[in-house]
Amino acid sequence: MANFSFISLYTKTLLLLFVPKPKFLIPFLHICCMESTANHIPPITSSKPIHRAWAMYDWANSAYNLVITSTIFPAYYNAVTTVTKNGEIVSDKVSFFGLTFKNTTLFDYSIATAYLIIAVISPILSSIADYKGNKKRFMQFFCYIGSLSCCGLYFFNGKTLELGIIFSALAALGYCGSLVFYNAYLPEIAMEEDRDRVSAQGFAYGYIGSVILQLICFVFVLKPAWFGITDSSFAPRLSFVLVGIWWAAFAQITFFKLPKGIPLAHNPSHSVLANGFYELKKVWAQIKELPVLKTYLVAFFFYSMGVQTVMLAATLFGSKELKLETSQLIEVILIIQLVAIAGAYIMAKLSDMFGNLQVLLFVVFIWMGACIAAYFTHTAMQFYMVAVVVGLIMGGIQSLSRSTYSKLMPPTHDTASFFSFYDVTEKLAIVIGMISFGFIDSIMDMRSSIIALIAFFAVGAFVLFRAIRRRNLELGVGN
């Protein structure tokens, strides 16, 4: 062990002194040496400038969530992977490295794979970030992976399907990976009484920023002649590049202002690969002693299967099942984004009045109603009406879920490990949700897949009700 420590320290010194090192690679240069070299860092003070800077990362990365996940990329993907004649689908089968899939099923499976990867590696990275106090550097690393992958989608066309799927999955990986560390900052920069507001502020910034870029891309996609664009595929591919630039550029505000993490005083007792999962085990041991938090996480797991799958699959449902034009899909998503800004703040206010868990239960019931309505949707106007409801509850349930977890978790310096547990729970929910949706779609159709989403929300509502009862018993206010 002594020889290994000397060699790793020697290697680390050479790397840090002589190898050019972009900031986003620095955390990986420290992994080879587990000894903590952290200096004393003063306590973090909550302030509105830091809150705004933290929220700006939502502004930066939500462009990916809107343009790549929800609007232009799914519509473009469906267009380049579907053969049509006289408006009717002739073939929607694609070949991916020699394997044949239904195009929407391949998309669902690729996103599920990206989320599964991040669920596996985030405990390892979060453990390192907690001990080293370098959450920001890991956040930067994943941010740049995501933004560069978005730019890489410029080269995706009907002949480069494998390249497009890989870059799409890497962009999802970068997005999810950066959020692990972004979310972990919330309890470090905001007092408990401010977390609902700050969390809602982040989502509101995200909706505003993403809508601004979406409108810019909207002009290129719908009015290419204004710019002398004759290639119909160029405007969507240009939009992907703009997302990558927007994401990386505005993230600099967050990276400049967010404080450095606080390293833990003790050294890890396990290897780098094992320690993250050991930390999750420790987190779970603490959660088991907190009945309300444990029950809430089970509910969060089930309703997240529904929420995240709706967000990821809604555009493909509109383009394939309802045969909506790209312009109509963009209009729908813009409606959702604009309404969601108000929804995030409304839910934060309601939580102050009635309590987080009660409002979440109410919102989950609305989600169930929205899914039932979507199952019976056959026209563009009906889709617009469902979109308004989804927009109102989408921002609210995401914002409130994050702040509720930060309130229920015990006071700790291991914020990255606790939020890694939260993120792993969410990512596994997405994996199961997307695989279920894709599998049912492959053997039946996308409309039938909605039934599975309704079931996920129903189970989530039942477990949330149990969490509320346990919370009331803890507070001594009866059933």
Side-chain angles (χ1 to χ4, degrees), residues 196-402:
D196 286 343
R197 176 187 60 80
V198 176
S199 183
Q201 182 179 0
F203 279 101
Y205 274 37
Y207 292 128
I208 294 170
S210 60
V211 166
I212 291 173
L213 182 61
Q214 177 69 91
L215 290 173
I216 295 171
C217 296
F218 186 86
V219 175
F220 283 109
V221 171
L222 298 184
K223 299 295 181 180
W226 290 2
F227 308 95
I229 299 174
T230 56
D231 181 356
S232 61
S233 72
F234 179 77
R237 292 185 293 116
L238 174 62
S239 299
F240 307 151
V241 175
L242 292 177
V243 169
I245 295 172
W246 178 283
W247 186 354
F250 281 105
Q252 302 311 308
I253 299 173
T254 304
F255 298 149
F256 177 76
K257 198 72 177 177
L258 275 185
K260 293 181 179 179
I262 302 176
L264 299 183
H266 56 283
N267 291 328
S269 54
H270 298 76
S271 69
V272 173
L273 293 178
N275 196 68
F277 296 100
Y278 176 75
E279 288 298 311
L280 282 189
K281 183 179 177 181
K282 287 201 308 183
V283 169
W284 175 239
Q286 294 180 66
I287 289 175
K288 286 194 295 186
E289 301 301 318
L290 301 167
V292 177
L293 178 58
K294 182 177 72 172
T295 308
Y296 166 71
L297 276 174
V298 175
F300 172 73
F301 175 76
F302 279 100
Y303 71 66
S304 288
M305 290 186 201
V307 172
Q308 300 298 332
T309 304
V310 169
M311 292 172 60
L312 292 167
T315 301
L316 286 175
F317 176 81
S319 63
K320 197 164 186 179
E321 290 290 322
L322 305 181
K323 297 180 174 58
L324 299 182
E325 299 292 333
T326 300
S327 59
Q328 293 175 301
L329 292 171
I330 293 176
E331 289 170 1
V332 167
I333 300 301
L334 285 176
I335 290 171
I336 291 176
Q337 297 295 110
L338 292 172
V339 174
I341 297 170
Y345 281 111
I346 289 172
M347 297 308 165
K349 291 292 184 183
L350 289 175
S351 68
D352 288 338
M353 298 169 60
F354 302 105
N356 288 42
L357 295 175
Q358 287 83 349
V359 174
L360 279 172
L361 179 61
F362 173 68
V363 172
V364 170
F365 275 118
I366 298 178
W367 269 105
M368 290 173 62
C371 287
I372 293 171
Y375 182 83
F376 294 101
T377 294
H378 294 278
T379 68
M381 182 55 66
Q382 291 172 338
F383 197 56
Y384 289 159
M385 294 171 65
V386 173
V388 172
V389 176
V390 168
L392 190 63
I393 55 181
M394 182 176 68
I397 198 167
Q398 289 179 291
S399 171
L400 204 55
S401 295
R402 180 170 64 186

Side-chain angles (χ1 to χ4, degrees), residues 133-151:
N134 55 4
K135 284 192 284 285
K136 187 193 295 188
R137 288 175 177 173
F138 281 100
M139 187 175 160
Q140 288 172 317
F141 176 77
F142 282 102
C143 167
Y144 298 139
I145 284 180
S147 61
L148 290 172
S149 297
C150 289
C151 293

Side-chain angles (χ1 to χ4, degrees), residues 171-200:
L173 191 70
Y175 173 75
C176 299
S178 65
L179 286 184
V180 172
F181 305 100
Y182 171 67
N183 288 336
Y185 264 108
L186 182 58
E188 292 188 9
I189 65 167
M191 304 298 290
E192 182 175 335
E193 61 271 18
D194 294 327
R195 289 176 195 168
D196 286 343
R197 176 187 60 80
V198 176
S199 183

